């Protein structure tokens, strides 16, 4: 008679990740304000006490979700630099950012509009990371176009990020679909005067 081996219990880290993944889906669907600790516990089929054991507050869970979203945004942007030309890199930066923002529309909207200090701190941290990724690309584009002394690449990076965020906010409020491919191609056509 063969003995059954006991399945290992999930680790504390696995449980925390499962909570984060579940909360991320809920926040993306219903926004930060639309989700309670009870909602998260119910979706996980655990007690609120068990949830509080892993996270002392909804804000802590949201911060963990934001960390993951911001990491995903940075990874998506870094993917763009695998492209061989500056125009393709710019296209992928814009398209990847918008695509991830569309997927996480309520998280992005809450992040952009929140007055919560810790959320605001995450936004500021994310802006610095986005700037550090986008600025060198725009600097290279300006140099290629002979505009490096005439146009500030730092300001241009801020304008590009604001434009993309504005598009995502417009989408999240209006509910209209946006075509990230078309938007990215339009920006590239503007900068490089060519169609993609």
């Amino acid at each position: 008679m063969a003995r059954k081996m006991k399945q290992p219990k999930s680790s504390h880290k696995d449980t925390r990740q499962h909570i984060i993944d579940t909360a991320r889906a809920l926040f993306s669907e219903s926004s930060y304000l639309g989700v309670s600790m009870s909602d998260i516990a119910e979706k996980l089929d655990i007690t609120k006490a068990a949830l509080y054991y892993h996270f002392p507050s909804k804000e802590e869970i949201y911060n963990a979700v934001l960390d993951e979203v911001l990491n995903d945004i940075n990874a998506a942007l870094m993917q763009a630099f695998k492209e061989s030309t500056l125009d393709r890199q710019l296209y992928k930066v814009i398209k990847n950012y918008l695509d991830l923002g569309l997927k996480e529309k309520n998280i992005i909207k809450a992040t952009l509009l929140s007055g919560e200090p810790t959320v605001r701190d995450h936004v500021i941290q994310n802006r610095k990371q986005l700037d550090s990724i986008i600025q060198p690309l725009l600097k290279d584009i300006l140099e290629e176009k002979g505009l490096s002394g005439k146009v500030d690449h730092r300001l241009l990076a801020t304008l590009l990020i604001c434009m993309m965020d504005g598009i995502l906010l417009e989408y999240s409020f209006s509910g209209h679909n946006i075509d990230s491919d078309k938007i990215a191609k339009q920006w590239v056509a503007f900068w490089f005067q060519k169609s993609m």
Side-chain angles (χ1 to χ4, degrees), residues 7-196:
Q7 294 293 327
K9 291 185 177 181
S10 64
S11 70
H12 179 75
K13 186 176 178 181
D14 292 341
T15 302
R16 281 183 59 86
Q17 188 59 52
H18 184 56
I19 292 169
I20 292 167
D21 293 344
T22 302
R24 182 173 177 169
L26 289 171
F27 289 137
S28 189
E29 181 181 305
S30 302
S31 83
Y32 176 75
L33 295 175
V35 176
S36 67
M37 290 293 271
S38 295
D39 295 331
I40 297 168
E42 183 178 319
K43 185 74 171 179
L44 290 163
D45 198 24
I46 62 173
T47 65
K48 275 177 50 177
L51 183 57
Y52 279 110
Y53 172 78
H54 294 282
F55 289 95
S57 67
K58 180 173 88 167
E59 186 176 313
E60 289 280 329
I61 296 173
Y62 195 67
N63 286 336
V65 168
L66 281 180
D67 285 340
E68 286 205 350
V69 170
L70 298 179
N71 287 337
D72 288 352
I73 288 171
N74 291 335
L77 294 182
M78 294 309 292
Q79 281 288 102
F81 295 100
K82 292 181 179 180
E83 297 292 330
S84 60
T85 62
L86 293 175
D87 60 328
R88 288 295 304 166
Q89 289 175 13
L90 180 60
Y91 166 80
K92 290 296 274 188
V93 161
I94 296 168
K95 183 167 183 347
N96 289 358
Y97 187 86
L98 293 176
D99 285 345
L100 190 63
L102 292 171
K103 179 180 166 200
E104 304 286 357
K105 68 177 183 176
N106 283 319
I107 292 175
I108 299 296
K109 180 169 68 173
T111 301
L112 295 173
L113 299 177
S114 177
E116 294 288 325
T118 57
V119 173
R120 190 177 58 244
D121 291 345
H122 274 83
V123 170
I124 291 168
Q125 175 191 359
N126 183 47
R127 285 291 177 261
K128 288 178 183 175
Q129 290 174 351
L130 286 173
D131 275 345
S132 71
I133 293 169
I134 294 174
Q135 280 185 26
L137 171 61
L138 295 178
K139 184 177 182 183
D140 290 345
I141 292 170
L142 291 172
E143 285 175 6
E144 182 180 276
K145 298 290 178 189
L147 297 171
S148 60
K150 300 173 186 166
V151 179
D152 182 353
H153 69 279
R154 293 175 297 271
L155 178 58
L156 194 57
T158 299
L159 293 171
L160 178 59
I161 293 167
C162 289
M163 182 268 315
M164 293 186 296
D165 288 343
I167 289 169
L168 292 172
L169 278 175
E170 176 67 25
Y171 163 75
S172 68
F173 286 127
S174 71
H176 296 116
N177 288 331
I178 63 170
D179 185 342
S180 61
D181 178 61
K182 183 177 181 180
I183 292 168
K185 284 179 179 176
Q186 290 292 305
W187 266 80
V188 170
F190 171 77
W191 275 100
F192 291 89
Q193 282 106 41
K194 66 179 186 177
S195 61
M196 291 188 67

